[in-house]
Amino acid sequence: MQYTKLGKTDLNVSRVCLGCMGFGDPAHGQHTWTLEEEASRGIIRRALELGVNFFDTAIVYQNGTSEQYLGRALKDFARREDVVVATKFPVRTHEEIDAGISGQEHVRRMLDKSLQNLGMDHVDLYIYHMWDYNTPLYEIMSALNDAVKAGKVRYIGISSCFAWQLEKANSLAEREGFAKFISVQGHYNLIFREEEREMAKLCAEDGIAMTPYSALAGGRLSKPHGETSKRLEQDDYAKFKYDATAEQDGVIIARVEELAKSRGVSMTEISLAWLLGKVTTPVVGATKISHVEGAARAAELILTPEET
């Protein structure tokens, strides 16, 4: 496994981050295809054996059970100082807004609950999961800065935002002396490349790490076009993102399949090797041990200019 610094921080992370959205009680949460704890532990353990030290989860993944599974597995299989743990917090709910709960209080509550779920006293990277249009940005940045000062969070990141929003947030942080976002977790893969328009340029200019999610487009870039799986059949959010462009995406998927056959590797390896040439470390989900093994092999694969 290869390692790199996460942006301008001192965090040394594996080139592959294990995304934990596929872990959690399938009876409690948004998804029905997630893995129960024993199967999740097996994948986490294998990832550690392969040198993966970077793990990404969120409090909203299966009502916190993803965090719980990850925290217990890491406690059993790794030393806390040897792993980098990221989790994410959601926007304020309408119920919280109606109850007068401020953005600061919302962040504090979410962070404390995540730490409880994980069984940890701090997270290495705390991520603003989605831009909250109903909460003043100052409240979010102030609360995140307080979390850093309190030692509950080492660094902060942001997910699912526009480049102008990231710039606005970090400009506010610089003006107020707050902690800045050091990473962005955006939607980026071979069939969705919007991040190249502005976000990638901003991150390169400011030394912000790119840790994209949906690196394999919900599995679409890991299997021949038309081949299915439980997740492809049941993941309605991924269907929303990709079904409308399935025909044109099929051309790219077919090219990935062609290159995989010519190199004698998996489609996962080709797709991730391409992305690894453009970002710090992609977040790669896994619901089988073979998935994380393929991701680890991708970190060692070099594509030629003609293949990219």
Side-chain angles (χ1 to χ4, degrees):
M1 179 59 64
Q2 298 178 11
Y3 300 86
T4 188
K5 293 296 183 184
L6 191 67
K8 294 180 178 179
T9 76
D10 61 354
L11 295 177
N12 201 37
V13 296
S14 49
R15 289 302 312 279
V16 172
C17 173
L18 182 63
C20 300
M21 190 174 75
F23 307 152
D25 185 347
H28 294 86
Q30 180 182 1
H31 305 297
T32 58
W33 47 268
T34 56
L35 300 182
E36 296 280 7
E37 185 161 10
E38 194 58 34
S40 301
R41 288 169 64 85
I43 293 173
I44 294 166
R45 185 171 193 169
R46 182 59 179 145
L48 289 163
E49 292 170 350
L50 292 166
V52 173
N53 76 337
F54 191 12
F55 298 85
D56 174 89
T57 185
I59 194 170
V60 298
Y61 293 165
Q62 300 306 100
N63 287 336
T65 56
S66 173
E67 289 181 324
Q68 293 167 17
Y69 291 5
L70 177 64
R72 288 194 286 261
L74 292 180
K75 182 178 180 181
D76 289 344
F77 303 143
R79 299 188 306 169
R80 178 65 183 90
E81 60 268 29
D82 292 338
V83 293
V84 175
V85 177
T87 193
K88 301 181 284 290
F89 68 95
V91 301
R92 279 193 305 166
T93 65
H94 291 298
E95 291 76 14
E96 286 177 306
I97 294 172
D98 291 342
I101 295 172
S102 68
Q104 286 99 332
E105 180 63 18
H106 169 73
V107 173
R108 284 194 293 271
R109 289 185 178 193
M110 292 295 99
L111 176 57
D112 287 344
K113 183 60 177 177
S114 285
L115 292 175
Q116 179 184 337
N117 285 340
L118 289 162
M120 298 176 181
D121 61 5
H122 76 281
V123 290
D124 301 287
L125 182 64
Y126 198 42
I127 301 171
Y128 186 18
H129 205 161
M130 190 175 296
W131 194 266
D132 188 344
Y133 290 92
N134 295 313
T135 301
L137 180 60
Y138 183 93
E139 293 185 12
I140 300 295
M141 301 305 292
S142 173
L144 290 172
N145 187 64
D146 288 345
V148 172
K149 290 195 300 183
K152 295 181 178 181
V153 171
R154 293 184 66 186
Y155 297 99
I156 61 172
I158 190 168
S159 177
S160 303
C161 69
F162 295 110
W164 70 263
Q165 292 172 326
L166 173 54
E167 174 59 27
K168 180 179 180 179
N170 275 352
S171 292
L172 185 153
E174 184 170 353
R175 183 173 68 248
E176 299 293 335
F178 292 162
K180 292 183 178 182
F181 291 126
I182 58 87
S183 67
V184 61
Q185 188 178 124
H187 182 197
Y188 186 26
N189 56 51
L190 258 172
I191 59 176
F192 190 86
R193 299 175 63 174
E194 177 62 28
E195 294 291 80
E196 294 175 0
R197 192 186 307 275
E198 292 187 351
M199 185 64 79
K201 298 177 178 64
L202 172 63
C203 290
E205 179 77 17
D206 290 355
I208 297 169
M210 293 182 71
T211 63
Y213 71 88
S214 201
L216 294 171
R220 287 157 180 78
L221 287 164
S222 65
K223 53 180 63 65
H225 189 56
E227 187 176 310
T228 190
S229 68
K230 184 176 181 180
R231 179 177 180 182
L232 286 176
E233 293 170 359
Q234 298 183 6
D235 191 341
D236 290 335
Y237 183 54
K239 289 180 180 181
F240 167 76
K241 289 191 291 186
Y242 300 114
D243 277 9
T245 57
E247 184 176 348
Q248 52 263 52
D249 293 346
V251 177
I252 299 170
I253 294 169
R255 175 58 175 160
V256 172
E257 183 182 9
E258 177 187 345
L259 288 174
K261 289 179 178 177
S262 69
R263 293 289 294 268
V265 299
S266 67
M267 291 176 64
T268 291
E269 290 167 70
I270 294 293
S271 299
L272 291 181
W274 178 86
L275 192 56
L276 280 159
K278 300 177 181 296
V279 304
T280 305
T281 178
V283 177
V284 184
T287 52
K288 296 179 180 178
I289 287 178
S290 61
H291 294 166
V292 73
E293 291 174 339
R297 289 193 298 269
E300 309 297 328
L301 182 63
I302 306 297
L303 299 181
T304 68
E306 293 76 19
E307 291 171 326
T308 58

